């Protein structure tokens, strides 16, 4: 069933676990993610980025999510990820399709970030839609920010108090040392600023969100070789760091890159093994299975198994 993420995230924060928010771009990824939640009896947040909407269309993506959610008792929230385009965020709110949106104006000065976020919150709350906002920049991908240790880009606890009070947002995405994307770490693991997280969590009585949380293999070749095998070889955000983050206030964890890697690695491996099979259901089905296995592993790690 489709639900608001409000109760699931409040329960997660109180219960010391996190709900996974997984990016979907097509049918098979969505099926893999939902199958994992059903197997784990875990609450689930399905999210679509602006890029996913550009690729597949808001209505089509949302229709798939609503249809698959209708046939299960697992609570599923549908969330717009990284709404940097205010018009699109408003469209998602007005469509009535999303139970949650992220307004991401973190690239603007604090005052502007507060002003735009507050406008979105007003419109969303009038329709009982949950709003995640971001304070501090999370580097990676298209961002110009390379120096991930730079304190300057991280969320400041004292600003977080003001931001949440003035915007009335429902959840806050924080920058504490993670990065977005597949190629975020060439050869080192992330080290999260847990002290900073702890300070934000005690200043802000809202669920906190960790973006850029994928473990990430070094490259797709490694994935093809390691596929289904030793996941501890991953570079990125180590499991132990994620556990610490959950213990210290993170209630929603965003994962996209690990899903892409699992899906692509499995399709690649399938085609290598069956070069003459041109049936898309065969190789996309292999991708779907890999997504399910990856998400199951994440849900166990996040502690959301059995939490519906
Ligand atoms: O954090 C961003 C997500 O990984 C979405 O990426 O804009 O390529 O869909 P995308
Ligand atoms: P990763 O690139 O680490 O999967 O992060 C995804 C994310 O933060 C989506 O909002
Ligand atoms: Zn993100």
């Amino acid at each position: 069933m489709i639900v608001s993420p409000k109760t699931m995230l409040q329960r997660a924060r109180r219960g010391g676990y996190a709900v996974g928010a997984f990016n979907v771009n097509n049918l098979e990824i969505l099926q893999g993610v939902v199958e994992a939640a059903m197997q784990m009896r875990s609450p689930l947040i399905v999210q679509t980025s602006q890029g996913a909407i550009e690729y597949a269309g808001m209505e089509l993506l949302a229709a798939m999510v609503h249809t698959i959610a209708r046939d299960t008792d697992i609570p599923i929230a549908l969330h717009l990820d990284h709404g940097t385009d205010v018009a699109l965020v408003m469209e998602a709110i007005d469509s009535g399709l999303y139970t949650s949106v992220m307004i991401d104006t973190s690239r603007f000065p604090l005052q502007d970030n507060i002003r735009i976020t507050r406008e979105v919150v007003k419109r969303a709350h009038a329709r009982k839609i949950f709003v995640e906002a971001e304070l501090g920049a999370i580097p990676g991908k298209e961002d110009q920010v390379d120096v991930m240790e730079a304190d300057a880009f991280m969320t400041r606890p004292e600003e977080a108090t003001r931001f949440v009070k003035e915007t009335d947002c429902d959840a806050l995405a924080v920058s504490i040392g993670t990065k977005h994307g597949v190629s975020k770490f060439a050869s080192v693991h992330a080290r999260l600023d847990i002290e900073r997280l702890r300070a934000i969590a005690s200043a802000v009585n809202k669920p906190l969100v960790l973006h850029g949380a994928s473990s990430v293999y070094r490259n797709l070749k490694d994935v093809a070789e390691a596929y289904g095998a030793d996941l501890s070889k991953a570079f990125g955000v180590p499991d132990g760091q994620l556990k610490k983050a959950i213990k210290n206030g993170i209630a929603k964890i965003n994962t996209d890159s690990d899903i892409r890697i699992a899906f692509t690695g499995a399709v690649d491996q399938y085609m290598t093994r069956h070069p003459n099979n041109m049936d898309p259901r065969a190789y996309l089905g292999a991708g779907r299975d890999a997504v399910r296995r990856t998400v199951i592993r994440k849900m166990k790690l996040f502690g959301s198994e059995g939490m519906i």
Side-chain angles (χ1 to χ4, degrees):
M1 61 195 159
I2 286 281
V3 299
S4 163
K6 190 168 187 155
T7 307
M8 64 168 86
L9 291 180
Q10 280 168 351
R11 285 185 58 201
R13 181 155 182 178
R14 275 202 303 270
Y17 62 95
V19 178
F22 301 97
N23 287 70
V24 303
N25 288 284
N26 64 15
L27 172 69
E28 287 77 11
I29 292 174
L30 172 64
Q31 289 175 316
V33 167
V34 173
E35 281 169 12
M38 288 169 68
Q39 210 171 313
M40 288 291 98
R41 308 292 298 160
S42 165
L44 169 68
I45 299 173
V46 168
Q47 54 190 19
T48 65
S49 68
Q50 291 181 174
I53 289 172
E54 211 172 292
Y55 172 73
M58 185 187 284
E59 284 195 21
L60 183 55
L61 284 170
M64 287 200 299
V65 178
H66 280 259
T67 304
I68 206 166
R70 203 180 50 207
D71 293 333
T72 170
D73 62 342
I74 299 294
I76 301 177
L78 177 54
H79 176 73
L80 173 72
D81 189 27
H82 288 286
T84 53
D85 174 348
V86 179
L88 188 83
V89 177
M90 295 303 195
E91 190 188 326
I93 292 169
D94 294 343
S95 73
L97 296 168
Y98 286 78
T99 55
S100 177
V101 293
M102 176 181 187
I103 171 68
D104 179 0
T105 40
S106 57
R107 63 197 180 281
F108 294 137
L110 181 63
Q111 197 55 43
D112 295 334
N113 191 5
I114 290 176
R115 180 177 50 77
I116 302 167
T117 300
R118 189 169 45 209
E119 273 170 35
V120 168
V121 168
K122 268 193 204 145
R123 180 106 144 229
H125 283 181
R127 301 187 68 124
K128 296 202 173 358
I129 293 169
F130 189 88
V131 181
E132 173 184 334
E134 179 172 321
L135 181 65
I138 298 159
K141 275 186 163 175
E142 62 277 0
D143 293 318
Q144 302 308 310
V145 183
D146 282 335
V147 193
M148 63 161 298
E149 290 80 8
D151 278 15
F153 304 114
M154 292 196 189
T155 309
R156 297 189 183 133
E158 62 285 3
E159 283 185 0
T161 315
R162 177 179 165 207
F163 184 83
V164 169
K165 191 163 173 261
E166 294 189 17
T167 62
D168 196 27
C169 66
D170 302 298
L172 185 69
V174 292
S175 176
I176 54 167
T178 56
K179 264 180 162 183
H180 284 114
V182 171
S183 57
K184 53 182 155 189
F185 303 104
S187 58
V188 289
H189 290 304
R191 268 185 61 102
L192 305 189
D193 190 341
I194 298 294
E195 278 312 309
R196 182 183 297 270
L197 173 62
R198 212 175 274 156
I200 299 167
S202 60
V204 170
N205 190 23
K206 300 276 180 190
L208 302 179
V209 184
L210 189 67
H211 284 245
S214 282
S215 303
V216 176
Y217 287 115
R218 273 169 294 177
N219 56 46
L220 292 175
K221 186 167 167 288
D222 279 358
V223 178
E225 284 167 7
Y227 169 65
D230 185 6
L231 286 159
S232 66
K233 285 209 183 85
F235 285 110
V237 187
D239 290 358
Q241 292 275 297
L242 289 178
K243 281 191 178 156
K244 270 190 199 160
I246 295 166
K247 208 171 151 210
N248 288 287
I250 293 294
K252 171 177 182 266
I253 298 189
N254 283 17
T255 304
D256 186 5
S257 297
D258 281 346
I259 290 178
R260 293 178 184 209
I261 293 167
F263 185 85
T264 310
V267 172
D268 184 34
Q269 189 188 57
Y270 186 91
M271 290 316 299
T272 304
R273 289 185 179 168
H274 311 275
N276 299 320
N277 191 337
M278 295 298 141
D279 183 344
R281 293 167 296 194
Y283 55 84
L284 293 177
R288 177 172 64 191
D289 291 347
V291 170
R292 188 187 67 245
R293 281 194 289 271
T294 297
V295 173
I296 284 174
R297 182 182 167 275
K298 296 284 176 190
M299 286 172 165
K300 286 184 176 164
L301 176 66
F302 301 166
S304 68
E305 183 179 3
M307 295 297 181
I308 61 164

